[in-house]
Amino acid sequence: MLDGQKVSFSGVQPSGNLTIGNYLGAIKNFAEYSEKYKTFYGVVDEHAITVRQNPAELRRRTYETLALYIAVGLDPEKNTLYVQSHVPAHAELAWILNCYCMFGELSRMTQFKDKSARHADNINAGLFTYPVLMASDILLYQTDVVPIGSDQKQHVELTRNIADRFNQIFPDTFTVPEPVIPKSGGRIMSLAEPEKKMSKSDENENATVRVLDDRDTIIRKFRRAVTDSGSEIRRSPDKPGVSNLITIYSCFTGKTPEEVEAEFDGRGYAEFKTAVGEACADALAPVREKYFELLADKGYLEEVMKKGAGTAAYYARKTLSKVRRKIGFVNL
Ligand code: TYM
């Protein structure tokens, strides 16, 4: 809670072109809190450098991710939209919380295990302690809810453990946050290998649909999506490809998965895949249009960044100075 209001916090790394997984699992749900909650949505550039980034690209993607936040409907007047590295309190609290998080806990993080396997030549300490930075992001704003995809659940659980541990030693410091994962869309799978999560860093372009892909590309990618043997359009563990497409169609049209199965009963895969592509392209067309408009106005995006950083820093400082006082640092 901040100023008597509940708080929603989430973040997206500017580390690649965002996919419909990022959109359906997380970003689309951010706006739900805009009216009743205090909301903070960060472009988390400090997280992105845990793997090597091209500097010019990182900078460009930081603007792009902010533009996309606004394009999907997050009004900068109603939401604090900002860039993580503009608010130094994140890195400061992360150091402190590193001392309240156990090596063993971090060793159990599945994302660390996956990423260190994929980047075996660069298993840096930042990659290992990254969940502590994420805990700092969340705890700095006394967050109540964290809208995320299911792959981030373990990190929010760790955040809760860190908050509980700290609160036990220094009572009433942090709000203990709850993860909020959509029932449908919390884990969108790759179109090429439907046993794998759709990931923005996937090198196979046919595996991912980008929020900014044009209509023809979106429809082509869905037409090429891997489906399963048989021809029935229904959800089942032995039909991961079709199940994923049913989820995606359901998220974009607002129909339940049961309604989708009924709608396509007796119809073929080809027809279904085209329908999914069209539904996705229709839903994303206005986002794309708004995005390109915004990106043409860098000055405006910088104003949003500045205003967001000011608001975020104000609240972050409050929590940080409370923490500093409690642990015995001298506040001047
Ligand atoms: P990131 O940048 O990898 O992803 C951003 C959000 O998208 C969700 N997501 C998905 N949801 C459904 N299906 C998918 N295939 C899919 N892929 C990604 C993620 O779960 C995430 O919600 N560590 C975070 C960023 C972060 C953060 C935070 C999030 C930093 N600090 C504090 C919440 C709170 C990350 O790497 O997300």
Side-chain angles (χ1 to χ4, degrees), residues 268-287:
Y269 280 166
E271 196 184 342
F272 178 52
K273 288 200 271 189
T274 304
V276 183
E278 283 172 351
C280 173
D282 287 348
L284 294 179
V287 174

Side-chain angles (χ1 to χ4, degrees), residues 13 21-22 130 134 137 148-149 151-152 186 188 197-198 200:
Q13 294 194 49
N22 300 122
Y130 153 123
M134 184 160 156
D137 300 341
I148 41 163
D151 63 323
Q152 296 298 323
I188 299 294
K197 188 190 75 162
M198 186 180 286
K200 55 172 127 64

Side-chain angles (χ1 to χ4, degrees), residues 306-327:
K306 273 193 202 138
K307 178 168 168 285
T311 309
Y314 169 78
Y315 288 106
R317 275 274 137 213
K318 275 192 167 182
T319 300
L320 187 65
S321 62
K322 176 156 90 166
V323 168
R324 291 177 50 95
R325 190 162 22 84
K326 291 203 180 213
I327 59 179

Side-chain angles (χ1 to χ4, degrees), residues 149-168:
S150 66
D151 63 323
Q152 296 298 323
K153 185 165 181 244
Q154 197 186 27
H155 293 158
V156 178
E157 274 159 7
L158 177 75
T159 302
R160 290 169 58 87
N161 292 342
I162 294 174
D164 278 333
R165 182 173 299 133
F166 200 94
N167 284 345
Q168 252 171 31

